[in-house]
Amino acid sequence: MVRKFLVFTLLFCITLAGCGRSDTPGDSPSDASGITTLSPVDISGTGSEPSDGNSDAGSASSDDASGTGNASSNNASGADSEPSDGSSDTDSTSSGDASETGSADPDGGSGAPISPDSAQTATIYVGTRAAGFTLYPLTYEGTLTPEILIQGIQDLTGWNLTLAESVISGRGGMSVCLSEESSLFTGPPDPQKDEFHVYDGEQLAEMILDSIQKTLQNGFTGEGGDPEALDIWYYMQDNHPLTLPNLGLSWPIDQPYQWTGAVRD
């Protein structure tokens, strides 16, 4: 009985299956087992969505990539333009600074052009060969001359060292002619400076003649030279020998000056 029921049920199911195939011809293909397959429809539907998704994703990616590229391009352009502007500003500023610096100080020194007449320093000597000399700095401008050095001694000591004629420079020496109004002939000034105080005319004469001689010798001897090789002559106007009547002293005109070479009357 049970077996008949099972057979009947199987036949019924087969009948229903056959009816199902005849009612929906071509709606959905079936495989060999008779089971309806929806995969083509699902694949087509699913395929369109991934295709749209891929397209959207691709377009989005493309847009993103384009945007990124544009952004990168813009950023790169901006980055390039900013340093370029900074560099330009820096260069122009540097150029301006250099221009200002150059105009302020064309020689690149302390701010003022170097002039051949700028202040220089020489040395003057005051004293005697017998007792020694004291050295003093002398600031001057322009070219050093014998007159500048003699004037420097006068300004320092207060002695009148007026020249009757300009100092004559020749081969091997210099010739000096002091005026008769100078302290060599008139005696010590009144008042005297304490540092250069003398007690009589002879002491003053020795200091004047020795100081001028020593200062000129050292002032006009080149580096490594011998100052003693530069001879100094003293004379009076009209080429007369130097004579100090109040002291009874004179020096030969044909001999370089030495205090010890004086002729006493």
Side-chain angles (χ1 to χ4, degrees):
M1 187 69 182
V2 174
R3 182 178 297 175
K4 291 180 179 180
F5 177 78
L6 293 175
V7 171
F8 177 80
T9 302
L10 178 62
L11 291 175
F12 180 77
C13 291
I14 291 172
T15 302
L16 289 177
C19 292
R21 286 196 302 270
S22 62
D23 291 341
T24 56
D27 287 345
S28 60
S30 58
D31 56 14
S33 63
I35 299 175
T36 302
T37 304
L38 298 178
S39 57
V41 177
D42 293 341
I43 293 173
S44 175
T46 305
S48 62
E49 290 178 0
S51 173
D52 293 341
N54 291 338
S55 175
D56 293 341
S59 62
S61 301
S62 175
D63 292 340
D64 293 342
S66 175
T68 303
N70 291 336
S72 301
S73 175
N74 292 336
N75 290 339
S77 174
D80 290 342
S81 63
E82 289 178 1
S84 175
D85 293 341
S87 174
S88 175
D89 294 341
T90 303
D91 292 342
S92 62
T93 303
S94 300
S95 175
D97 294 343
S99 175
E100 292 177 2
T101 303
S103 62
D105 186 8
D107 293 323
S110 60
I114 297 175
S115 169
D117 293 334
S118 60
Q120 302 178 65
T121 302
T123 302
I124 57 178
Y125 299 75
V126 178
T128 65
R129 289 189 177 274
F133 297 91
T134 302
L135 283 62
Y136 300 89
L138 171 67
T139 300
Y140 68 95
E141 294 183 354
T143 303
L144 183 64
T145 64
E147 288 79 10
I148 288 177
L149 293 176
I150 294 172
Q151 182 66 44
I153 298 173
Q154 172 176 297
D155 294 341
L156 176 67
T157 62
W159 305 331
N160 184 336
L161 300 179
T162 303
L163 295 171
E165 300 175 1
S166 297
V167 176
I168 300 173
S169 297
R171 179 175 296 179
M174 297 179 176
S175 298
V176 180
C177 181
L178 290 166
S179 169
E180 293 184 359
E181 287 78 30
S182 69
S183 296
L184 180 63
F185 297 96
T186 63
D190 186 18
Q192 298 187 62
K193 291 185 177 181
D194 293 340
E195 186 177 358
F196 307 105
H197 184 85
V198 295
Y199 295 97
D200 55 46
E202 185 168 333
Q203 182 184 10
L204 176 61
E206 184 178 5
M207 289 186 68
I208 289 175
L209 297 176
D210 280 6
S211 295
I212 292 175
Q213 179 193 41
K214 182 68 172 178
T215 299
L216 295 180
Q217 285 179 328
N218 284 271
F220 291 96
T221 298
E223 184 178 357
D226 180 13
E228 297 299 325
L230 182 64
D231 292 328
I232 304 298
W233 283 270
Y234 289 105
Y235 70 100
M236 297 180 67
Q237 289 179 297
D238 299 326
N239 288 328
H240 291 302
L242 176 60
T243 302
L244 302 177
N246 57 329
L247 300 177
L249 300 174
S250 64
W251 287 264
I253 198 172
D254 60 348
Q255 296 293 323
Y257 164 77
Q258 292 295 333
W259 177 260
T260 57
V263 177
R264 295 185 179 270
D265 295 340

